Amino acid sequence: METAAITADAVSRIGLAGLAVMGQNLALNIAEKGFPISVYNRTTSKVDETVDRAHREGQLPLTGQYNPRDFILSIQRPRSVIILVKAGAPVDQTIAALSEHMEPGDTIIDGGNEWYENTERRISEASARGLLYLGMGVSGGEDGARNGPSLMPGGSHPAYLNIRDILEKVAAQVEDGPCVTYIGEGGSGNFVKMVHNGIEYGDMQLISEAYDVLKNAGGLSNSELADIFAEWNRGELESFLIEITADIFQVKDSETGHGELVDKILDKTGMKGTGKWTVQQAAELSIAAPTIAASLDSRYLSGLKDEREAASQIFKEEGLKEEINNVGVVDKKRLIDDVRQALYASKICSYAQGMNLLRAKSAEKGWNLNLGELARIWKGGCIIRAVFLDRIKKAYQRNPGLANLLVDPEFARELVQRQAAWRRVVGVAIQKGVSVPGMSASLQYFDTYRRGRLPANLVQAQRDYFGAHTYERIDLPGSYHTEWAKLAQKARV
């Protein structure tokens, strides 16, 4: 009876467990949109902190709960509970603690960066207890969580319908709707978020290469770079990452009081694992993703700071002359415009690779992903949000069966128009010894994909020579094997 009495008093429309930065901000966003919410965290000070913020930020309808039972019973049936804790074992532990008090028809929504197969396991475990389950990608960092993220929920469709009204209000809003859509069955929401992060790796790497070329081949100062990126953000490259890059170059170093902070930051990149998963999945599905792979490799190499400094010294001693700071006479205006074009063209390749990976996984799992709709929900709230995502959406609307973004007529035209500038930038970088693995990988991807005939015929001949793997011919059907060694010996006689 006690349970029924408490349930009758249940006031919250939804619950959220896990009040680190993302959880706290998402809970306040939900409350601010007018949905009463209960929050819970094992560390009680986090609950107090969130309740205090809700009070300070406008007397928001948010209630703190201090144990799993009270938390669950404070939510209206059918209950929906968002979990925002560290991926892996903590998610399983949280589910175990909460589901003990949940009833058939209730929903668990995991908003973390989880490996999609863990979500699929949890879906079947939840289903055995009569519970519904969603794995929901959340992008946009703490600001997105508080003011409007891009949301990628996958799993139980009835569970999505239970909270659709909340998600549509809480998500970032763009001119063609809220940045949320039902992604598909199973772990599709987590998989889509993973690929989003892989594309993000590519984007960040390409921008860092543009910076490197402009600074070390063009001799541009941080204040010039700030102006250039701000200008680029008013054109075809307009995006969240270009916008924040312009800001970064303007921030002074407050520790020493002179120079810009960006120059004082150690050149070692951290990572959480989603980029690595993206590259592994591309390999599993035989999808070429060289730009994303190059960005991952660059992060690995950045981690070898001591080795790189030692190598720099060794090569100097062996007579390698540094071209990197030897700017000489450079047409800055031309270089800036070339880099802009090269960055845009390289970016198209990176997004194309991500979309191809999504399409391949969708076919393998029967998820029926709508690539145009994914591009649309990435237009706001998320880290890779960019104006040109609208163009990607339209490309897939024009042709849902598009083999590759590169061959959409609009994108194909843009690549052709920019390829000369793209080649100049990669050429200058190679001459100066400025590494541009992302731009080079994108250019090589374009050059390989657009060629009607590749030197793979020779590779097939080699495979047949040493392993009798056979080959096909361009003029006759069937498989062939040749005794290459014998015939070569005869030819030598």
Side-chain angles (χ1 to χ4, degrees):
M1 282 307 292
E2 187 195 359
T3 305
I6 295 174
T7 307
D9 294 337
V11 289
S12 293
R13 173 77 167 77
I14 192 166
L16 189 146
L19 298 171
V21 173
M22 288 292 284
Q24 209 171 97
N25 281 294
L26 189 60
L28 291 163
N29 181 354
I30 291 169
E32 191 173 63
K33 298 301 187 295
F35 300 102
I37 182 169
S38 292
V39 298
Y40 166 71
N41 198 83
R42 276 197 318 179
T43 312
T44 56
S45 60
K46 289 280 187 197
V47 179
D48 294 335
E49 199 183 297
T50 311
V51 170
D52 184 51
R53 274 190 68 188
H55 186 72
R56 283 187 286 112
E57 293 179 21
Q59 303 285 353
L60 304 176
L62 181 146
T63 317
Q65 300 292 344
Y66 295 89
N67 65 63
R69 184 173 179 276
D70 290 352
F71 171 61
I72 295 300
L73 296 179
S74 70
I75 304 162
Q76 295 166 11
R77 292 194 182 104
R79 304 180 185 96
S80 296
V81 178
I82 298 171
I83 295 174
L84 269 167
V85 299
K86 199 165 179 253
V91 177
D92 290 310
Q93 288 154 12
T94 308
I95 290 170
L98 300 180
S99 61
E100 209 178 303
H101 309 286
M102 295 176 85
E103 299 172 321
D106 290 352
T107 295
I108 296 167
I109 303 120
D110 174 20
N113 273 339
E114 188 56 270
W115 174 237
Y116 84 98
E117 288 180 333
N118 285 344
T119 295
E120 301 200 326
R121 165 177 62 80
R122 290 178 190 132
I123 286 172
S124 62
E125 289 168 358
S127 178
R129 304 182 66 158
L131 300 176
L132 308 181
Y133 198 95
L134 286 171
M136 181 169 74
V138 179
S139 179
E142 62 180 292
D143 181 64
R146 181 67 185 84
N147 300 306
S150 175
L151 300 170
M152 297 154 247
S156 161
H157 192 250
Y160 172 70
L161 295 178
N162 282 345
I163 55 163
R164 181 179 180 173
D165 59 334
I166 300 176
L167 299 184
E168 288 185 347
K169 283 265 175 27
V170 163
Q173 307 292 319
V174 290
E175 77 284 351
D176 46 8
C179 292
V180 61
T181 190
Y182 174 68
I183 302 293
E185 296 290 328
S188 60
N190 296 111
F191 194 90
V192 167
K193 173 60 166 47
M194 177 198 79
V195 174
H196 162 287
N197 287 19
I199 292 170
E200 182 186 307
Y201 272 51
D203 256 0
M204 293 168 81
Q205 177 63 28
L206 293 169
I207 291 169
S208 75
E209 291 174 18
Y211 153 63
D212 203 7
V213 171
L214 292 173
K215 181 185 177 184
N216 291 308
L220 275 78
S221 68
N222 287 332
S223 71
E224 287 175 305
L225 288 165
D227 291 343
I228 288 160
F229 277 88
E231 189 184 324
W232 285 356
N233 198 46
R234 292 190 284 272
E236 63 191 10
L237 286 169
E238 185 188 325
S239 62
F240 173 68
L241 285 168
I242 295 287
E243 178 190 333
I244 67 170
T245 302
D247 285 349
I248 286 166
F249 290 123
Q250 296 183 64
V251 175
K252 302 290 179 208
D253 177 24
S254 57
E255 289 291 322
T256 62
H258 51 82
E260 284 79 32
L261 179 57
V262 70
D263 295 328
K264 309 293 195 311
I265 296 175
L266 183 68
D267 51 320
K268 277 172 76 168
T269 313
M271 68 193 95
K272 294 277 181 71
T274 44
K276 180 169 81 172
W277 292 347
T278 304
V279 174
Q280 286 171 332
Q281 280 293 297
E284 290 275 329
L285 290 158
S286 306
I287 296 295
T291 311
I292 298 170
S295 67
L296 184 66
D297 287 340
S298 296
R299 291 195 183 197
Y300 292 148
L301 283 164
S302 80
L304 306 177
K305 176 66 172 172
D306 296 342
E307 283 183 44
R308 288 187 288 112
E309 288 189 332
S312 171
Q313 203 49 46
I314 289 163
F315 288 114
K316 251 182 214 141
E317 286 162 12
E318 293 301 329
L320 182 72
K321 287 189 173 50
E322 270 284 24
E323 283 291 326
I324 207 162
N325 296 313
N326 178 18
V327 174
V329 181
V330 174
D331 182 342
K332 278 192 187 181
K333 200 165 181 292
R334 164 87 174 268
L335 182 67
I336 291 164
D337 196 57
D338 279 356
V339 171
R340 175 185 60 77
Q341 294 187 62
L343 179 54
Y344 184 78
S346 298
K347 195 175 155 95
I348 292 170
C349 293
S350 183
Y351 281 70
Q353 293 159 29
M355 289 299 190
N356 287 351
L357 175 53
L358 288 171
R359 192 184 50 213
K361 194 69 179 181
S362 180
E364 181 198 74
K365 301 286 287 182
W367 284 338
N368 200 23
L369 297 181
N370 180 336
L371 299 183
E373 183 66 354
L374 297 184
R376 187 193 69 75
I377 68 166
W378 290 343
K379 280 166 58 179
C382 71
I383 305 301
I384 64 170
R385 62 183 181 263
V387 159
F388 100 136
L389 278 156
D390 193 56
R391 316 254 319 284
I392 294 178
K393 178 193 86 168
K394 286 174 178 157
Y396 285 112
Q397 281 177 340
R398 277 193 294 275
N399 179 5
L402 188 64
N404 190 308
L405 266 185
L406 270 55
V407 294
D408 170 73
E410 272 195 35
F411 285 122
R413 189 179 318 119
E414 291 186 330
L415 288 168
V416 171
Q417 286 166 352
R418 286 160 182 73
Q419 61 147 354
W422 199 3
R423 293 181 198 287
R424 281 195 296 272
V425 170
V426 172
V428 164
I430 288 169
Q431 279 175 334
K432 297 275 186 190
V434 176
S435 54
V436 284
M439 284 188 184
S440 304
S442 283
L443 182 57
Q444 297 307 325
Y445 180 74
F446 168 69
D447 278 339
T448 304
Y449 190 69
R450 69 178 177 78
R451 287 183 64 195
R453 184 157 171 86
L454 293 169
N457 53 321
L458 180 59
V459 175
Q460 280 300 82
Q462 291 168 335
R463 291 178 74 242
D464 190 51
Y465 191 125
F466 65 68
H469 291 296
T470 74
Y471 57 89
E472 291 176 84
R473 294 177 60 102
I474 56 174
D475 54 348
L476 298 166
S479 293
Y480 293 84
H481 169 57
T482 296
E483 296 289 343
W484 297 91
K486 285 180 191 167
L487 293 174
Q489 206 170 5
K490 267 187 202 167
R492 281 196 294 270
V493 174

